[in-house]
């Protein structure tokens, strides 16, 4: 039985009222207790980029705000004195309730050297597996900023305009992208690191082979602190990205949003942060606002304690898996019946494809590799298969001559998030053939590089003898697309005048031609300007 089966919409919970367990969490919670959580002027669900911008801007405007996050607050060291574990030594901190790590690489020369058994715990990286597509997301205060590559890339203006016909692109590029870059602390890798450091030999090798094929290359901005990276390179600071830290979190160096927007949000004194609270249901509360049901997550999984909070303004920032899931559940179970048919639609993988080439012996990539990518190869001018490929690190501690790429290919393929009533969860509908177009885009970029350099793909890394893999993504986008499921500022359609907002990557329609977090942040800044000025504090901030 689920919360929705137990409680009629807008029921007022009594303190400690006993409830049967929910279907989704039956093994962990034999009995659920609902505890009234109090009223807040605003609630933000999810603490990634979109949620962090919303929380900071609400806090600065003097709005008492509750920030609910499913994952941990990663601020306390484990027994080894570190908050996060490294990629070569994963433990329970690595993955979200998994018995074994699930990184994309399956094998090296036929042997699975990448994945390890680990204790099941609320770790920082989740891989959500659906038919034909797996989706990686971060779990914790800071969302996917905790585990991502830190690449802060502006989309091309024409791609931005295509994705967001209702948004003033000039204002975005002159005001909101610069604002997001300043707040996220975006910088550019200095020449001494990129051109000379042994840890960037892999970038230089891939760049050289691309240029030999006549491809354009460019440097990618990042939120990693290059002052810190220089110290790592000189041996003056503990190694983080220069060691093997990235996908399971960085212990230093990276400006994830817990170090930027969220820190500033909490400093306003107006934002109450509750980690390890998973929102399972949202509904109108009968007095014009919203009731939000959040289950406490414990070290062993979901607990039997559910908090029922109320608010006047509800901001959904649970990412392009979490936000569509909450919305399709609300529409299908009737707790928000006026949501339109666009909710759940327009989901895409941003054309993510991973691929690898084998370099010749005279082109080594280095046994030490810095995990923060620095170089991209641009094939966007391709007439049918535009793509950008970022040169990714593969830090294995020995020379392997592999150039690894994360391609972002332009593809028309889109899926949808549907509500699975039996499991009470959102399910991604994505067909097998839908990966082919993006994979062809990656090959349209890499085939000429192989040809010009007399090299071949690596066929042993992704399983099934495949040279390219488009069946997983780091960049889930869409499911509540701007201008379709919402108005042009993220106000949810059907509830436009009732203060229900989407602020995250689900606003982006499936593909962008660039890594998404800078756009998520800039768009959230723009939308919060409008929402605060018109809906919440038309008379100005009240700190
Ligand atoms: P996100 O950051 O995912 O945050 C959502 C938060 O909501 C998470 O903390 C969830 O735990 C939480 N949540 C979900 N459901 C619930 C619920 N029901 N109740 C409470 N909390 C909930 O969303 N992008 C780039 O631009 N550059 C990169 O270099 C890059 N590298 C990446 C590398 C990896 C390995 C991965 C996985 C992603 C990468 N991305 C990169 C993608 C980028 O991090 C992502 O687009 C943004 O983080 C999306 O931001 P949102 O605010 O939408």
């Amino acid at each position: 039985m689920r919360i929705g089966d137990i409680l009629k919409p807008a029921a007022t919970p009594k303190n400690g009222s006993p409830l049967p367990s929910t279907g989704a969490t039956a093994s962990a919670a034999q009995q659920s207790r609902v505890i009234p959580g109090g009223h807040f002027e605003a609630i933000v669900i999810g603490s990634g980029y979109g949620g962090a911008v919303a929380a900071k801007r609400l806090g600065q405007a003097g709005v008492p705000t509750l920030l609910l996050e499913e994952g941990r607050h990663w601020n306390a060291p484990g027994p080894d004195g570190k908050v996060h574990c490294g990629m070569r030594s994963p433990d329970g901190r690595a993955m979200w309730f998994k018995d074994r790590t699930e990184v994309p690489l399956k094998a090296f020369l036929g042997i699975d050297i990448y994945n390890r058994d680990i204790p099941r715990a609320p770790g920082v990286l989740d891989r959500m597996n659906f038919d034909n597509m797996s989706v990686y997301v971060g779990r914790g205060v800071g969302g996917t900023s905790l585990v991502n590559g830190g690449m802060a890339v502006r989309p091309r203006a024409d791609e931005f305009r295509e994705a967001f016909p209702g948004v003033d692109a000039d204002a975005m590029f002159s005001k909101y992208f610069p604002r997001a870059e300043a707040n996220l602390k975006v910088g550019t890798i200095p020449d001494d690191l990129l051109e000379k450091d042994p840890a960037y030999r892999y970038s230089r090798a891939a760049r050289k082979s691309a240029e030999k094929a006549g491809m354009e290359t460019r440097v990618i901005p990042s939120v990693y602190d290059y002052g810190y990276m220089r110290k790592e390179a000189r041996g003056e600071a503990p190694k983080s990205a220069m060691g093997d830290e990235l996908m399971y979190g960085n212990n230093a160096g990276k400006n994830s949003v817990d170090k930027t927007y969220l820190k500033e949000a909490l400093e306003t004194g107006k934002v109450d942060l509750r980690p390890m609270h998973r929102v399972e249901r949202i509904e109108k509360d009968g007095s014009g606002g919203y009731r939000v049901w959040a289950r406490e997550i414990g070290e062993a999984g979901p607990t039997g304690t559910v908090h029922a909070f109320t608010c006047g303004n509800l901001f959904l920032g649970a990412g392009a898996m979490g936000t569509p899931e909450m919305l399709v559940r609300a529409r299908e179970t009737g707790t928000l019946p006026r949501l339109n048919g666009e909710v759940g639609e327009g989901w895409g993988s941003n054309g993510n494809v991973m691929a690898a080439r084998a370099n010749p012996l005279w082109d080594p990539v280095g046994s030490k590799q810095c995990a923060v990518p620095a170089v991209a190869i641009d094939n966007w001018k391709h007439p049918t298969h535009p793509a950008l490929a970022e040169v990714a690190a593969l830090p294995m501690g020995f020379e392997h001559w592999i150039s690894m790429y994360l391609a972002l290919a332009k593809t028309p393929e889109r899926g949808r998030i549907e509500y699975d009533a039996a499991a009470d969860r959102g399910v991604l509908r994505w067909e097998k053939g839908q990966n082919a177009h993006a994979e062809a885009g990656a090959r349209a970029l890499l085939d000429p590089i192989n040809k010009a350099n007399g090299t071949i793909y690596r066929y042993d890394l992704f399983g099934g003898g495949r040279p390219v893999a488009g069946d997983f993504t780091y960049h889930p986008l869409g499911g509540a697309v701007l201008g379709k499921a919402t108005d042009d500022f993220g106000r949810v359609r059907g509830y436009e005048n009732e203060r229900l907002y989407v602020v995250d990557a689900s606003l982006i329609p499936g593909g962008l031609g660039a890594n998404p977090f800078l756009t998520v942040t800039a768009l959230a800044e723009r939308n919060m300007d409008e929402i605060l000025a018109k809906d919440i504090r038309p008379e100005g901030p009240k700190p």
Side-chain angles (χ1 to χ4, degrees):
M1 199 181 287
R2 301 182 294 272
I3 291 178
D5 300 329
I6 301 155
L7 299 167
K8 294 194 181 71
T12 306
K14 297 202 169 47
N15 199 0
S17 43
L19 292 166
S21 65
T22 72
T25 59
S27 60
Q30 293 309 309
Q31 290 281 305
S32 291
R33 287 183 317 136
V34 175
I35 300 173
H39 181 81
F40 294 81
E41 188 174 344
I43 292 181
V44 179
I45 303 171
S47 64
Y49 292 90
V53 172
K56 173 181 157 182
R57 301 294 312 280
L58 287 162
Q60 285 179 334
V63 178
T65 299
L66 175 67
L67 176 56
L68 294 168
E69 166 55 51
E70 177 168 6
R72 267 181 209 281
H73 198 175
W74 292 95
N75 57 359
D80 60 357
K82 292 181 174 178
V83 173
H84 297 287
C85 59
M87 288 189 280
R88 288 201 293 270
S89 50
D91 56 29
R93 292 170 288 186
M95 297 213 69
W96 183 250
F97 296 114
K98 303 262 186 202
D99 299 314
R100 189 168 171 80
T101 59
E102 293 183 24
V103 298
L105 298 186
K106 294 260 188 300
F108 178 77
L109 298 174
I111 307 163
D112 179 0
I113 59 170
Y114 302 106
N115 285 306
R116 310 270 166 79
D117 291 342
I118 49 167
R120 204 174 176 79
V124 71
L125 179 69
D126 196 0
R127 174 172 163 140
M128 306 172 79
N129 295 314
F130 303 96
D131 290 345
N132 310 312
M133 179 59 72
S134 294
V135 183
Y136 285 94
V137 294
R139 299 271 177 232
V141 174
T144 308
S145 81
L146 296 166
V147 300
N148 69 22
M151 292 176 271
V153 183
R154 288 190 188 193
R156 289 169 167 74
D158 53 343
E159 292 296 326
F160 183 89
R161 286 194 170 90
E162 186 182 316
F164 301 110
V167 175
D168 177 354
D170 293 340
M172 287 298 295
F173 282 89
S174 64
K175 181 172 176 185
Y176 293 108
F177 280 114
R179 188 196 285 178
E181 284 160 345
N183 280 289
L184 293 168
K185 303 192 176 167
V186 176
T188 306
I189 187 167
D191 275 358
D192 55 322
L193 288 169
L194 178 58
E195 303 303 341
K196 297 202 177 74
D197 199 280
Y200 276 106
R201 179 167 287 150
Y202 76 99
S203 305
R204 299 193 291 271
R207 185 179 61 188
K208 191 176 91 178
S209 58
E211 285 169 353
K212 200 165 171 188
M215 297 270 174
E216 274 176 43
T217 63
R218 58 187 154 96
V219 171
I220 330 167
S222 169
V223 296
Y224 203 84
D225 176 348
Y226 288 110
Y228 185 84
M229 191 186 283
R230 255 202 199 113
K231 288 190 192 155
E232 293 177 68
R234 290 189 198 128
E236 293 165 4
K239 287 194 172 22
S240 183
M242 284 271 187
D244 68 338
E245 293 177 1
L246 194 79
M247 263 181 108
Y248 303 142
N250 283 85
N251 287 301
K254 191 158 102 186
N255 289 308
S256 41
V257 293
D258 51 321
K259 312 276 188 323
T260 58
Y261 275 99
L262 289 173
K263 182 167 170 281
E264 293 168 72
L266 296 176
E267 282 167 1
T268 65
K270 293 286 181 186
V271 177
D272 182 348
L273 170 66
R274 309 270 177 98
M276 303 290 270
H277 280 64
R278 174 160 73 207
V279 173
E280 292 187 345
R281 175 185 168 105
I282 53 178
E283 64 188 12
K284 295 291 288 183
D285 74 348
S287 64
Y290 295 89
R291 177 164 293 124
V292 172
W293 305 87
R295 183 177 298 277
E296 279 185 28
I297 306 291
E299 288 300 309
T303 70
T305 303
V306 174
H307 299 262
F309 303 100
T310 55
C311 64
N313 301 278
L314 182 55
F315 291 83
L316 307 181
M321 302 309 295
T323 290
E325 175 181 68
M326 283 188 281
L327 288 173
V328 292
R329 180 190 285 125
R331 185 183 60 199
E332 304 309 319
T333 60
T335 66
L336 295 175
R338 280 178 275 129
L339 294 173
N340 73 14
E342 293 287 346
V343 164
E345 298 291 333
W347 190 95
S349 67
N350 206 21
N352 269 196
V353 177
M354 203 154 237
R357 290 176 44 251
N359 286 293
L361 289 181
W362 54 89
D363 271 336
V365 293
S367 54
K368 246 182 55 173
Q369 300 197 357
C370 183
V372 172
V375 165
I377 303 162
D378 195 331
N379 197 30
W380 211 260
K381 62 181 181 321
H382 192 283
T384 55
H385 285 91
L388 185 77
E390 282 145 358
V391 180
L394 182 58
M396 286 169 55
F398 55 87
E399 175 60 55
H400 47 59
W401 288 275
I402 297 172
S403 282
M404 180 68 70
Y405 304 88
L406 177 71
L408 317 182
K410 184 161 180 160
T411 169
E413 298 293 351
R414 297 289 180 266
R416 79 164 59 87
I417 309 275
E418 288 177 359
Y419 177 60
D420 175 346
D424 187 29
R425 63 189 280 256
V427 175
L428 172 61
R429 299 292 175 209
W430 187 262
E431 303 304 321
K432 192 166 187 194
Q434 290 191 276
N435 298 326
H437 190 273
E439 288 176 352
R443 292 201 60 147
L445 186 150
L446 292 170
D447 284 354
I449 297 180
N450 274 333
K451 193 166 174 217
N453 291 275
T455 52
I456 56 167
Y457 289 102
R458 288 288 297 232
Y459 291 88
D460 57 329
L461 303 176
F462 305 111
R466 298 175 299 158
V468 297
D471 57 351
F472 66 87
T473 182
Y474 294 156
H475 297 172
L477 302 175
V481 170
L482 195 83
K484 293 186 170 176
T486 74
D487 77 356
D488 280 330
F489 291 93
R491 298 179 185 99
V492 177
R493 290 230 155 107
Y495 297 83
E496 286 99 328
N497 300 316
E498 297 175 48
R499 300 175 175 216
L500 177 62
Y501 310 98
V502 173
V503 290
D504 58 25
S506 24
L507 294 171
I508 301 177
L512 193 64
N515 313 60
F517 76 61
L518 190 64
T519 302
V520 175
T521 307
L523 208 52
E525 284 277 14
R526 167 205 180 254
N527 294 350
M528 288 306 293
D529 265 5
E530 163 85 6
I531 291 163
L532 281 163
K534 301 259 174 73
D535 302 3
I536 300 182
R537 286 286 184 270
E539 72 287 5
K542 266 192 211 143

